[in-house]
Amino acid sequence: KAGVTQTPRYLIKTRGQQVTLSCSPISGHRSVSWYQQTPGQGLQFLFEYFSETQRNKGNFPGRFSGRQFSNSRSEMNVSTLELGDSALYLCASRIANTGELFFGEGSRLTVL
Amino acid sequence: GESVGLHLPTLSVQEGDNSIINCAYSNSASDYFIWYKQESGKGPQFIIDIRSNMDKRQGQRVTVLLNKTVKHLSLQIAATQPGDSAVYFCAEDTGTASKLTFGTGTRLQVTL
């Protein structure tokens, strides 16, 4: 069974640009969550999508947005990039309301 | 995807010994707790979870203990192996684990 797939794995952007990250959940998983991981702040929740609806949102500015498609694939977008957005962005999926989250390997974003 | 970086508390144990990793959680309303393991270059991997109506749960070589009175969680790893070397995170949530709050992590180093 394929795991959670995130693309791209690595990317470099400059301040002011925008970026879109993609996540394909495990087949059959309808919930997709996004987390940001940095050395200073650790792992922080961004948002969760379930059946194409945002079900929960963390404390991030409106520059961070996401969406989920009918096949459960999800994308997150960060606009007007800042240096502090440099991080590992992790996507996780789960079947529904069960607790176990399956994480992908992340997309490493560097903002110059 | 390196895990949380340079200044994590580190626990160093010899191969074959038992490891105990501790975590203090903050929200007295949290009723669901999870331990994750993150190896270098990978996303977090689920180890074991526990709900607040329990104080102990065992898995394969791992045991989680929950003390709600002092808001403390611990992960015990029996017969620690080199493959257990990683960063370990506790996470807490209320209800459906839709919005996990992660601890800062502990780096476990297994020496031969």
Side-chain angles (χ1 to χ4, degrees):
Chain A
K1 192 174 189 181
V4 176
T5 304
Q6 292 188 245
T7 56
R9 290 292 313 279
Y10 301 92
L11 66 167
I12 300 173
K13 294 284 187 178
T14 56
R15 279 179 297 175
Q17 287 187 312
Q18 72 161 3
V19 65
T20 299
L21 308 177
S22 179
C23 172
S24 293
I26 293 172
S27 178
H29 287 196
R30 296 169 61 192
S31 166
V32 173
S33 301
W34 289 89
Y35 287 80
Q36 182 197 63
Q37 187 173 30
T38 60
Q41 300 298 318
L43 276 153
Q44 292 188 291
F45 173 79
L46 281 157
F47 23 66
E48 183 196 21
Y49 287 87
F50 183 83
S51 294
E52 301 178 66
T53 300
Q54 188 179 86
R55 191 156 67 171
N56 216 331
K57 191 178 190 307
N59 297 324
F60 280 83
R63 299 185 298 107
F64 292 80
S65 63
R67 59 178 176 169
Q68 187 180 33
F69 302 96
S70 58
N71 62 358
S72 293
R73 192 177 69 85
S74 178
E75 289 181 346
M76 68 162 283
N77 182 276
V78 188
S79 62
T80 320
L81 283 165
E82 301 176 359
L83 295 179
D85 297 333
S86 294
L88 180 67
Y89 289 89
L90 290 158
C91 170
S93 75
R94 56 181 181 162
I95 293 175
N97 285 337
T98 58
E100 184 171 352
L101 283 175
F102 294 84
F103 281 87
E105 295 193 332
S107 293
R108 168 73 62 186
L109 170 65
T110 301
V111 182
L112 301 177
Chain B
E2 294 80 18
S3 56
V4 177
L6 305 175
H7 302 293
L8 288 176
T10 299
L11 174 66
S12 187
V13 298
Q14 279 201 315
E15 182 181 6
D17 287 351
N18 296 333
S19 303
I20 299 176
I21 301 171
N22 296 303
C23 175
Y25 64 92
S26 55
N27 187 353
S28 56
S30 292
D31 58 5
Y32 181 64
F33 306 89
I34 315 173
W35 280 99
Y36 282 91
K37 170 187 179 183
Q38 188 173 28
E39 297 173 278
S40 183
K42 297 185 178 180
Q45 178 186 1
F46 175 94
I47 302 173
I48 191 167
D49 60 0
I50 188 168
R51 293 213 173 262
S52 59
N53 60 352
M54 304 174 69
D55 53 21
K56 180 179 180 179
R57 191 166 188 218
Q58 290 184 288
Q60 189 173 19
R61 280 199 312 117
V62 295
T63 300
V64 55
L65 299 177
L66 174 63
N67 185 330
K68 296 180 287 293
T69 303
V70 294
K71 292 192 286 187
H72 184 269
L73 198 64
S74 68
L75 176 71
Q76 300 177 358
I77 304 174
T80 311
Q81 302 169 357
D84 295 327
S85 293
V87 177
Y88 289 80
F89 295 95
C90 64
E92 61 179 296
D93 197 12
T94 55
T96 63
S98 175
K99 184 179 178 180
L100 292 175
T101 300
F102 281 82
T104 53
T106 296
R107 187 180 305 279
L108 176 65
Q109 291 181 337
V110 182
T111 57
L112 303 177

